[in-house]
Amino acid sequence: MNVEEEVGRLKEEIQRLGKVQPDGSYKVTFGVLFNDDRCANIFEALVGTLRAAKRRKFLTYDGELLLQGVHDNVEIILKAAPLPASEVAANSAVKS
């Protein structure tokens, strides 16, 4: 599995385990992700996948390196997916 595929799978797992926020983003703690059996089976290097997703600006969390135990309560936020250009255009036309 390449990095793009792993980041895509990570986004799916955050949506599965996290709570949706009013702005459409998802929030989950590192401990929940790290201790989930399904995630453990999917991600050989969860921390590396999280860092790759953060560099690509799909998600955000405090710090650079997350460690089990020490950072279990760190919130990982999967940013809301941007609206497709066609929906943005339709929404702005309705408001005008």
Side-chain angles (χ1 to χ4, degrees):
M1 188 175 343
N2 68 32
V3 175
E4 299 303 326
E5 290 176 46
E6 282 206 21
V7 169
R9 296 286 296 271
L10 178 62
K11 289 162 63 175
E12 292 171 10
E13 294 305 309
I14 291 173
Q15 289 173 342
R16 178 178 68 86
L17 295 168
K19 292 187 180 1
V20 67
Q21 303 301 300
D23 65 357
S25 65
Y26 286 82
K27 189 183 292 187
V28 66
T29 62
F30 177 66
V32 169
L33 268 180
F34 192 90
N35 293 313
D36 182 71
D37 288 337
R38 187 165 151 185
C39 285
N41 290 328
I42 293 171
F43 304 108
E44 192 171 308
L46 176 61
V47 173
T49 305
L50 284 166
R51 290 184 70 186
K54 185 176 182 180
R55 276 194 304 271
R56 288 165 175 75
K57 303 198 185 309
F58 289 120
L59 53 84
T60 184
Y61 56 85
D62 290 336
E64 280 297 313
L65 181 65
L66 299 176
L67 301 172
Q68 181 189 18
V70 178
H71 298 113
D72 282 355
N73 294 323
V74 171
E75 292 179 336
I76 297 168
I77 300 167
L78 174 64
K79 296 177 181 179
L83 289 174
S86 58
E87 280 190 49
V88 172
N91 287 343
S92 63
V94 170
K95 291 179 184 176
S96 298

